[in-house]
Structures are given as C-alpha cells and as structure tokens.
Amino acid sequence: MKFFLDTANLDEIKAGAALGIVDGITTNPSLVAKEGKDFKTLVAQICEIIPGPVSAEVVSTTCDEMMKEARTLSKIAPNIIVKLPTIPEGVKALKICTAEGIKTNLTLIFQPLQALIVAKSGATFCSPFLGRLDDIGQDGMALIHDIRHIYDNYGFKTEILAASLRHPMHVVEAAKAGADVGTMPFSVFKMLLNHPLTDIGLEKFLADWKKLQA
Ligand code: G3P
C-alpha cells in the first residue's frame, strides 16, 4: 500500500519526504485554506518536494468550470492529479479529463456505486472517506472491502485511495482490505513506525553493548 500525506503544510511534507516513505500528497480546499497561501504556488512547491501524485482539488460545481480549473491545474506539474467531487457534474468532467489524459482523483465517495461509476469513467484514484462514515455510526472499512471486491470483479485499474484515516489501525485495516493507497494526516503518519517495545528493546541492546565496552 502506498502512503500519501493528507496535508498542504510544507513543513509536514518536507519532514515526511525526509523519511523517504511518502509516495504522494492529497490536498483539499479546507487543508489549503488552513495554510493561507496562494493555491497554485503552494501546489507547485508541493510537486517539487514530492515527485509522486499530488492531488489538487477544483472548487467549481459545473462541468465547464471544473474543466477550466482541471486544465489549468494539470499544467502546474506533471505529477498533478486533479481532484473532482463525485457529483453528476464531476463525473461529466471526469469523462472529459479521461479523454484528455488528465489524471483524476474522485473525492467524497461514501458508497460503492459512486466508486463503480468513477472507475467505469476512467478515474485514476477513487477516494472513499472512512473516518467520516465512522463519525456517523457507519462502517467505513466495509466500504473499502466492497470497492475492492467490485474493482477486482471487473479488473478496474482505478486505485482505491483510503481517505479520512484517523489513526494507525485505520491504516492497518485499509491495507488488509486491499486499499492501494492510504492518505493520512501527519499526526497519524508519525505514529506508523512506533511501538514501545521497539524503544525499550533498543535501549536494552545499547545498554548491554555499553557494558561490554566498559
Ligand atoms: O482529504 C480528504 C480526507 O482525507 C479528509 O479527511 O479527516 O477531513 O475527514 P477528514
């Protein structure tokens, strides 16, 4: 499973890149707004730091307007993925993007038929939001299992990008369910390698080694 960071914060992206295990970045209008910077400049900077896929979202709600944004965004860097909302106008724009060779990430997916439709329409990524389903008492992970099953039935190449991951167990479960990508906030990413027994074990190894030197 690939690891994407779900952030538009350059310090977090640089810290993740330094570790060498960040495969891509997802942003959304809320994450970009938090940074208070010019959108296109910020996205260009992110694309320079991370060579993998970088999702930048449109903010229009009609197909024509989305396509204007999509064409502009896709010219920022070769690794830009245009993020489109999974609404009828978004699917219309998706089909045009597919025909024009613009890579896409269909966002705000909350049920399997949305995922099936965007795969049929050539989406590069589909983004089911697990955490937000859990928030309203539904089983977010079941959606990943359903989408995996459907995509495997028909051999769709659209990558399942498990989004709205809130803690490391979401990442583990998404990997077990066969998600191609997990995107997570930096706070979750930082916890991926942690285990207290690793720290205790290393401390003991080094203390024993020190004794030998003495
Ligand atoms: O970027 C999309 C998604 O990961 C947002 O997550 O935590 O706002 O539901 P969240």
Side-chain angles (χ1 to χ4, degrees), residues 6 26 28 31 83 129 132 163-164 166 183:
D6 196 27
T26 49
N28 62 39
L31 293 170
K83 210 170 177 187
F129 278 26
R132 292 193 194 182
S164 187
R166 302 273 161 76
T183 192

Side-chain angles (χ1 to χ4, degrees), residues 14 18 27 40-41 43 45 48-49 56 97 102 122 124 131 134 139 150 166 181 184 189 209 214:
K14 282 178 195 158
T27 68
K40 286 175 200 146
T41 310
V43 167
Q45 287 170 326
E48 271 180 31
I49 302 167
C97 284
I102 296 173
T124 315
D134 289 356
D139 183 356
I150 291 168
R166 302 273 161 76
V181 186
M184 64 207 82
F189 176 79
W209 191 251

Side-chain angles (χ1 to χ4, degrees), residues 63-74:
C63 174
D64 286 350
E65 291 297 317
M66 284 185 211
M67 281 315 303
K68 274 187 209 154
E69 286 190 67
R71 289 180 186 121
T72 306
L73 290 172
S74 67

